[in-house]
Amino acid sequence: MVLDKFLKSPIFKDKKTWDAVGNASVMGLHLVSGVLVGLFIGYWLDVWLGTKPWLLLLFLLFGIAAGFRNIYLEAKKFQEENTTTNHDDQG
């Protein structure tokens, strides 16, 4: 009952709100996926080469760096989209 009333509120009818929620979730997924891929590759290489834990730590750092890079690029893209949208709205 309360959730239904909340989801029918005017804020959820706005497309910009849903776009912002989608953009935030994409950015979170970029960070998490980069870290998980780095962990998986590092773990697999450590098992294969017998270098525990060095490659896991190295690829974890690579995954974190890749995740933050992806977040930066995604935020830059969203900012450019918003800038062009604002210019279109103004003139």
Side-chain angles (χ1 to χ4, degrees), residues 33-43 55-56 59-60 62-64:
S33 63
V35 171
L36 289 178
V37 168
L39 277 172
F40 175 75
I41 291 172
Y43 177 77
L55 290 177
L56 179 111
F59 278 89
L60 173 63
F62 285 156
I64 291 169

Side-chain angles (χ1 to χ4, degrees), residues 28-72:
L29 286 173
H30 279 307
L31 182 61
V32 171
S33 63
V35 171
L36 289 178
V37 168
L39 277 172
F40 175 75
I41 291 172
Y43 177 77
W44 184 78
L45 287 173
D46 272 340
V47 169
W48 185 48
L49 299 172
T51 57
K52 287 184 183 178
W54 300 112
L55 290 177
L56 179 111
L57 295 173
L58 179 68
F59 278 89
L60 173 63
L61 292 175
F62 285 156
I64 291 169
F68 278 109
R69 179 185 173 273
N70 288 339
I71 285 176
Y72 171 76

